[in-house]
Amino acid sequence: MQTTIILVLLTLITISIIGLFIYIRKLDACTTNLNKTLEHQYNLLVKIQSILKNKSATNAVAEHAEMIYQDLLQNLIPIMASIDIMPRNTPEHALWRALGGIMDEYAKNPFALEKLRRAIKLDSEVLRNIDNYIRRADNFLHHLNTTETDGLLASTFTDGLLGQSLTFFAQAKQLANQTD
C-alpha cells in the first residue's frame, strides 16, 4: 500500500513537473511574441514620429513659401531688367512667371545667355543679385531635400523652373568669370 501511495505521489509530482515545464514553455513563447510585438510597435511609433516631424518641417516650408518666393523674386527683377526680359503672361505666381519668362527667352534665343554674361561683367549689382538668388535657391532646395523623406517636392523644384534657372545663372556666371 505504501508503494502504491509513493507511486501515485511520484506520478502526480512527475505530471506536475511536466505541466509546469509545458506552462513555462508556453509562457516563454508568449513573452517572446509579446517582445516581438512591442518591438514592432516601437519601430512603428519611431517611424510615425519621423514622418510627422518631416511633415511638420515641410509644412513650415510651405507656410513660408510666399516669403521665400518673394525673396527669390526680389533678386530676379533687377536681373530681368538688365537683360530686358519680361515675365510670362500667365496666372501663375509672380516668381514662376518671371522664371518662365527667362527660360522661355533662353529657349527662343540662346543669345540671352550672352546678354546675361555681359550684364554680369558690366554691373556688379547683377552679379550680386545672381549670387543671392543662387545661394537662396540652393538653401531652399537643400532644406527640402533634408526635410522631405520621399524627395518628390524637392525633385519637382529641382527639375522645374527653379533648377533650370540655377543652371542658367551658374552657366552665365561661369562664362563671365572665364572671359576676363
Side-chain angles (χ1 to χ4, degrees), residues 5-180:
I5 293 175
I6 292 176
L7 282 175
V8 169
L9 284 175
L10 284 176
T11 306
L12 287 175
I13 291 173
T14 305
I15 291 173
S16 296
I17 291 174
I18 291 172
L20 184 60
F21 179 73
I22 292 172
Y23 177 75
I24 290 172
R25 295 274 304 189
K26 284 185 179 182
L27 188 60
D28 186 47
C30 287
T31 304
T32 302
N33 288 337
L34 183 62
N35 283 339
K36 285 181 184 178
T37 302
L38 289 175
E39 183 179 339
H40 179 69
Q41 287 178 343
Y42 175 77
N43 290 336
L44 284 176
L45 287 173
V46 167
K47 189 173 183 178
I48 289 169
Q49 180 185 18
S50 174
I51 289 169
L52 290 175
K53 191 183 297 182
N54 288 335
K55 285 196 182 287
S56 172
T58 301
N59 288 342
V61 169
E63 289 172 7
H64 296 96
E66 184 60 32
M67 196 168 57
I68 293 167
Y69 291 174
Q70 288 301 323
D71 185 44
L72 292 171
L73 186 60
Q74 291 303 318
N75 290 293
L76 281 179
I77 292 170
I79 296 168
M80 292 175 68
S82 71
I83 56 177
D84 198 31
I85 292 179
M86 297 299 292
R88 283 180 179 167
N89 189 14
T90 59
E92 306 171 284
H93 187 277
L95 174 65
W96 307 121
R97 288 196 318 257
L99 290 174
I102 292 169
M103 298 319 298
D104 290 348
E105 181 65 27
Y106 179 59
K108 286 189 295 189
N109 181 9
F111 187 68
L113 182 64
E114 176 60 20
K115 284 173 62 176
L116 183 57
R117 183 198 69 79
R118 286 181 187 167
I120 292 169
K121 295 283 287 178
L122 297 174
D123 189 353
S124 63
E125 264 317 285
V126 173
L127 177 60
R128 187 182 65 76
N129 283 310
I130 285 177
D131 285 339
N132 286 340
Y133 177 83
I134 289 173
R135 186 179 65 254
R136 290 182 171 119
D138 278 340
N139 287 342
F140 176 61
L141 291 174
H142 176 72
H143 180 73
L144 285 177
N145 281 324
T146 56
T147 58
E148 189 188 16
T149 54
D150 59 6
L152 184 63
L153 186 61
S155 66
T156 300
F157 279 104
T158 303
D159 297 341
L161 289 172
L162 191 67
Q164 292 172 15
S165 68
L166 283 171
T167 302
F168 177 70
F169 291 146
Q171 189 176 13
K173 186 178 166 185
Q174 183 180 16
L175 287 172
N177 290 335
Q178 284 178 354
T179 56
D180 285 332

